[in-house]
Amino acid sequence: MSNATIDDSEVDIVIAAINPDLKSFLNEWRPIISQFHLIIVKDPDMKQELQIPEGFNADVFTKADITRKVGSSTSIVFSGYSCRYFGYLVSRKKYIISIDDDCTPARDSNGDLVDVVAQHIANLKTPATPFFFNTLYDPFRKGADFVRGYPFSLRSGVTCGLSCGLWLNLADLDAPTQALKPEQRNSRYVDAVMTVPVRALLPVSGVNIAFDREVVGPALFPALRLAGEGKFRWETMEDIWCGMCVKVVCDHLGLGVKTGMPYVWRKDRGDAVQSLKKEWEGVKLMEEVVPFFQSVRLPRSAVTAEDCVVSMAKTVKEELGKVDPMFARASDAMAEWVKLWKSVGSSSSEA
Amino acid sequence: MATPTHLLKDELDIVIPTIRNLDFLEMWRPFLQPYHLIIVQDGDPTKTIKVPEGFDYELYNRNDINRMLGPRSNCISFKDSACRCFGYMVSKKKYIFTIDDDCFVAQDPSGKLVNALEQHIKNLLCPSTPFFFNTLYDPFREGADFVRGYPFSLREGVPTAVSHGLWLNIPDYDAPTQLVKPLERNTRYVDAVLTIPKGTLFPMCGMNLAFDRDLIGPAMYFGLMGDGQPIGRYDDMWAGWCIKVICDHLGLGVKTGLPYIYHSKASNPFVNLRKEYKGIFWQEEIIPFFQAAVLPKDCTTVQACYIELSKQVKDKLGKVDPYFDKLADAMVTWIEAWDELNPSGPGAKIAK
């Protein structure tokens, strides 16, 4: 499927344990991830012990580890889905792949298991093409190429910083949408990867993502926390928020963001109608958030992801802080994150 | 096979440029027979083009074009499939589907024959979403929707002006790529339709294309190609860059993806290289021009946008080559001809 060779030592798989029993999750993923190093971060709010099967090269981090490493920070809360960011912080690898613990491997249209790692790495290792849309999608895939009319000067592409995967079965829809269509499941396997064009924003789902930690690591952070944030994806916006930041940062730094394959199979979980009340807040917020990100400009002097996040944090505070205190807190968390990244997360990242 | 429904059969024309014959239509019969054809015959006008029985059509050759447009006929290319845009101009319908005469019906992965026109119509009849990218692609398709994080205020979408289809088998590569990969075939059926985001340009291929003539028709000029011109195989590209800038300005959408057709004929790469040669260099100037093109707020119709664009072409690309001067003039001639043939109807409406 992919031509990129994977160096196992380049990859960390980061799992946020929202559920204590990881046995079936890890056993289902075993054929695909057992040769890689795993970073498992236990949700600090979880009282139960984690259950992890044998045969994995895994480091597990708990609340105690988090507190020891980062102190008791007031602006960054590593709870729920956001505990995964602690995993990003302590990783020393170039590539990180992160999948929600309610997902299992999907099968493609031939019935073969989708190797999520191989596809994400292929996406990250081949160039992205954000400046002009290729109608045959990713031109670097086997059997594809740039089409007639694609300018030659743009064919070498740019580094891909982020790879956004998709989901079969339970798609990552918001609570109102899922509540309206309770039976809807995503059964369409779209055999494509494509670069999201420069200046186009997208909702980045944390359910199934991978990124180049060296180039964009500082731009993925736990910052936007809904007042009613919960343990179901449709009760969060943290990934959507940092996804917008990452896209703006990538656009500014001339990096690419790809979307499409690989797919994971997302299990049915939760009740959208129950979550509706909580998640309505997040849905309303997007109306403020999107125009903000569409217009934010980063200074020319910002040449690293850290610089970009610091600058964006300031702008968030100035422009969105007055709209809702949640944004002011997000701004603080962003600034704090960069400091943390520099002190704890620094070693393998290059400017 | 179930009887296909023939949506919009009185509101859509099928425009086909040809120099040889239309045998390919036999395969399309179940899907296309109820629709009216506009055949633009390129090349030798004394030749007779055989149209398969049962199709309702009007046919125009070079003599007709010259007669109908008079001195303005110089804006319509000769000895190049770019002449097809004459068909857009003379149509009286709201929608156009244009297809090349070497394009056959494709099969989807289940073996089912693809009704390309039906998919184009679906694409055109439901909104586009250019302002925010939906990771599940076209949210209006059955089984899809807007994903978490997609702002509700943007979920109504905007009208779709263009539906750009793709091709299995012979891919639409440029000459250099064809020379390097003569055996490559596109076998990947990507089951998606998506809106090309605002502000993003793309290479528009005219082989399998549909559009709303009312919304964007006057901007679908396929330029000066072929006989007496320094360039070929950039007709649809040129139109694609123009329509995208104008659609972005007017708040209209452009979709790409399904439907697929089966492209059967590989053109000669050496012939193509000669045609494209200048274009390969020129496009390095042309693309930044279109990427930076800004249309003034008071351009609220397609024609006004197009005339303004022609001024900018003359101004900024004229220095690249005198060809662009001629092209800018031809763009104006095209609009004059369009307005004369379409006095108060489609294309003259004020856009949103």
Side-chain angles (χ1 to χ4, degrees):
Chain A
M1 154 180 54
S2 70
N3 299 319
T5 45
I6 307 168
D7 179 353
D8 300 354
S9 66
E10 284 187 303
V11 181
D12 263 341
I13 315 251
V14 174
I15 307 293
I18 310 295
N19 300 293
D21 185 353
L22 292 182
K23 292 203 303 293
S24 77
F25 170 77
L26 285 172
N27 281 329
E28 298 222 46
W29 283 104
R30 194 186 288 273
I32 294 167
I33 66 174
S34 63
Q35 77 257 49
F36 298 101
H37 176 240
L38 268 54
I39 293 178
I40 299 174
V41 187
K42 183 182 166 189
D43 179 1
D45 299 337
M46 190 195 295
K47 304 282 178 269
Q48 306 98 309
E49 286 295 313
L50 273 187
Q51 294 172 62
I52 295 171
E54 297 278 320
F56 288 95
N57 171 16
D59 282 314
V60 182
F61 296 91
T62 62
K63 184 174 179 174
D65 299 307
I66 297 174
T67 314
R68 187 176 36 241
K69 209 68 180 218
V70 307
S72 38
S73 149
T74 48
S75 14
I76 298 182
V77 183
F78 284 105
S79 94
Y81 286 99
S82 294
C83 67
R84 62 165 55 181
Y85 296 99
F86 181 77
Y88 301 171
L89 200 59
V90 299
S91 167
R92 290 292 172 265
K93 302 290 172 63
K94 180 163 170 63
Y95 299 112
I96 289 187
I97 296 172
S98 201
I99 294 171
D100 276 6
D101 68 356
D102 58 0
C103 297
T104 58
R107 286 190 184 271
D108 65 20
S109 347
N110 296 325
D112 300 319
L113 271 188
V114 171
D115 185 341
V116 139
V117 176
Q119 187 63 58
H120 272 309
I121 298 302
N123 294 349
L124 292 169
K125 282 194 167 191
T126 52
T129 52
F131 304 117
F132 205 78
F133 189 85
N134 192 44
T135 49
L136 279 188
Y137 314 110
D138 189 340
F140 298 100
R141 275 188 84 193
K142 201 167 145 137
D145 212 308
F146 291 97
V147 297
R148 174 175 59 97
Y150 203 105
F152 278 78
S153 62
L154 295 180
R155 294 192 188 198
S156 37
V158 297
T159 305
C160 180
L162 182 70
S163 166
C164 305
L166 291 173
W167 347 269
L168 289 174
N169 192 46
L170 200 71
D172 192 6
L173 307 178
D174 56 48
T177 307
Q178 190 73 72
L180 249 169
K181 299 179 173 184
E183 303 306 315
Q184 177 151 303
R185 296 293 178 271
N186 185 25
S187 54
R188 185 174 288 131
Y189 187 94
V190 179
D191 189 0
V193 183
M194 64 192 81
T195 299
V196 182
V198 70
R199 284 182 308 275
L201 293 175
L202 72 156
V204 171
S205 164
V207 173
N208 169 19
I209 63 167
F211 59 98
D212 183 331
R213 195 181 162 278
E214 283 172 18
V215 294
V216 300
L220 282 122
F221 41 67
L224 191 77
R225 218 187 155 67
L226 297 180
E229 183 172 294
K231 310 294 186 194
F232 296 98
R233 268 293 178 197
W234 50 48
E235 292 171 353
T236 68
M237 275 289 168
E238 54 85 11
D239 51 350
I240 307 295
W241 173 265
C242 75
M244 307 275 266
C245 294
V246 170
K247 185 58 166 60
V248 170
V249 170
C250 284
D251 285 355
H252 177 81
L253 296 178
L255 304 168
V257 172
K258 291 187 185 177
T259 187
M261 302 192 312
Y263 280 85
V264 296
W265 179 273
R266 194 159 170 252
K267 296 204 278 220
D268 284 10
R269 198 168 83 88
D271 181 342
V273 178
Q274 292 300 318
S275 299
L276 251 179
K277 222 179 198 162
K278 284 181 180 178
E279 224 275 86
W280 200 235
E281 193 192 356
V283 162
K284 278 193 297 185
L285 273 185
M286 286 309 290
E287 300 302 329
E288 311 284 346
V289 164
V290 170
F292 168 75
F293 281 107
Q294 280 171 338
S295 61
V296 77
R297 294 287 174 265
L298 295 168
R300 248 198 226 144
S301 52
V303 297
T304 61
E306 285 97 329
D307 294 344
C308 292
V309 177
V310 166
S311 169
M312 210 175 327
K314 284 203 196 88
T315 319
V316 167
K317 182 144 265 180
E318 280 159 14
E319 295 187 18
L320 289 177
K322 51 184 179 285
V323 173
D324 193 306
M326 193 180 322
F327 293 121
R329 284 193 294 272
S331 163
D332 291 337
M334 287 162 75
E336 177 118 13
W337 174 261
V338 175
K339 293 199 189 104
L340 257 185
W341 187 269
K342 285 181 176 160
S343 63
V344 177
S346 55
S347 68
S348 66
S349 47
E350 273 143 61
Chain B
M1 178 180 51
T3 320
T5 48
H6 297 115
L7 294 161
L8 302 181
K9 68 176 166 65
D10 300 319
E11 296 172 67
L12 184 144
D13 276 336
I14 303 180
V15 172
I16 307 170
T18 188
I19 52 169
R20 347 158 226 277
N21 62 63
L22 297 171
D23 294 348
F24 84 112
L25 282 175
E26 277 305 332
M27 199 191 182
W28 285 100
R29 198 181 278 279
F31 300 137
L32 302 188
Q33 188 172 322
Y35 296 89
H36 181 71
L37 309 179
I38 295 180
I39 298 159
V40 184
Q41 180 184 341
D42 197 17
D44 182 1
T46 65
K47 199 165 171 229
T48 310
I49 301 290
K50 260 193 61 194
V51 183
E53 285 284 322
F55 282 96
D56 174 50
Y57 69 95
E58 53 198 276
L59 186 147
Y60 300 94
N61 60 31
R62 191 71 209 184
N63 295 337
D64 299 313
I65 295 172
N66 292 340
R67 177 177 46 82
M68 289 172 74
L69 298 187
R72 295 203 182 109
S73 64
N74 61 17
C75 75
I76 303 295
S77 303
F78 183 54
K79 291 223 179 120
D80 194 287
S81 64
C83 65
R84 75 174 81 209
C85 64
F86 179 77
Y88 309 158
M89 193 194 277
V90 299
S91 167
K92 299 282 171 276
K93 304 283 175 57
K94 181 164 167 61
Y95 300 100
I96 298 277
F97 169 46
T98 185
I99 185 171
D100 278 12
D101 63 8
D102 59 354
C103 293
F104 292 84
V105 179
Q107 287 183 344
D108 72 16
S110 74
K112 183 164 168 240
L113 294 179
V114 174
N115 184 343
L117 181 52
E118 185 182 69
Q119 183 65 53
H120 275 305
I121 290 172
K122 282 189 181 143
N123 294 348
L124 290 171
L125 290 182
C126 69
S128 294
T129 50
F131 306 121
F132 206 72
F133 190 90
N134 192 46
T135 48
L136 278 188
Y137 314 112
D138 189 340
F140 299 101
R141 276 189 84 195
E142 209 190 290
D145 215 307
F146 290 97
V147 298
R148 176 175 57 102
Y150 203 105
F152 272 78
S153 61
L154 294 180
R155 295 193 188 198
E156 211 178 272
V158 297
T160 302
V162 179
S163 167
H164 177 262
L166 294 174
W167 353 269
L168 292 173
N169 195 45
I170 308 287
D172 189 19
Y173 289 160
D174 52 53
T177 310
Q178 278 181 297
L179 285 164
V180 169
K181 297 177 160 192
L183 301 177
E184 186 151 274
R185 298 289 177 264
N186 184 23
T187 55
R188 186 174 290 128
Y189 187 95
V190 178
D191 190 1
V193 182
L194 57 137
T195 299
I196 301 181
K198 180 179 175 176
T200 302
L201 294 175
F202 76 114
M204 185 177 85
C205 174
M207 258 199 267
N208 172 19
L209 184 70
F211 59 93
D212 184 323
R213 216 174 142 270
D214 282 359
L215 291 181
I216 199 64
M220 276 290 185
Y221 175 47
F222 271 39
L224 291 172
M225 307 279 144
D227 208 46
Q229 307 298 343
I231 189 176
R233 285 170 56 87
Y234 273 89
D235 51 336
D236 41 7
M237 297 298 137
W238 181 262
W241 299 324
C242 292
I243 61 99
K244 191 57 168 57
V245 168
I246 293 175
C247 283
D248 286 353
H249 176 79
L250 295 177
L252 302 170
V254 175
K255 291 185 181 177
T256 187
L258 301 183
Y260 282 89
I261 49 88
Y262 184 90
H263 185 210
S264 65
K265 202 166 158 284
S267 41
N268 183 312
F270 296 101
V271 170
N272 290 344
L273 190 54
R274 275 176 180 270
K275 292 180 180 175
E276 291 172 13
Y277 177 74
K278 292 214 160 117
I280 288 174
F281 295 97
W282 288 348
Q283 94 194 341
E284 298 299 331
E285 312 275 349
I286 296 172
I287 300 296
F289 163 76
F290 279 106
Q291 282 171 333
V294 173
L295 298 171
K297 269 217 180 84
D298 60 9
C299 288
T300 54
T301 65
V302 178
Q303 287 92 326
C305 290
Y306 203 73
I307 297 287
E308 171 61 31
L309 209 48
S310 75
K311 289 194 190 116
Q312 295 184 19
V313 167
K314 190 164 263 217
D315 210 25
K316 303 216 169 77
L317 292 178
K319 46 174 121 50
V320 173
D321 192 278
Y323 168 76
F324 291 102
D325 249 332
K326 265 177 52 181
L327 181 56
D329 290 338
M331 288 167 77
V332 175
T333 307
W334 158 266
I335 294 293
E336 289 169 357
W338 181 285
D339 282 345
E340 195 180 303
L341 261 58
N342 298 284
S344 59
K349 294 202 175 85
I350 307 292
K352 273 208 289 214

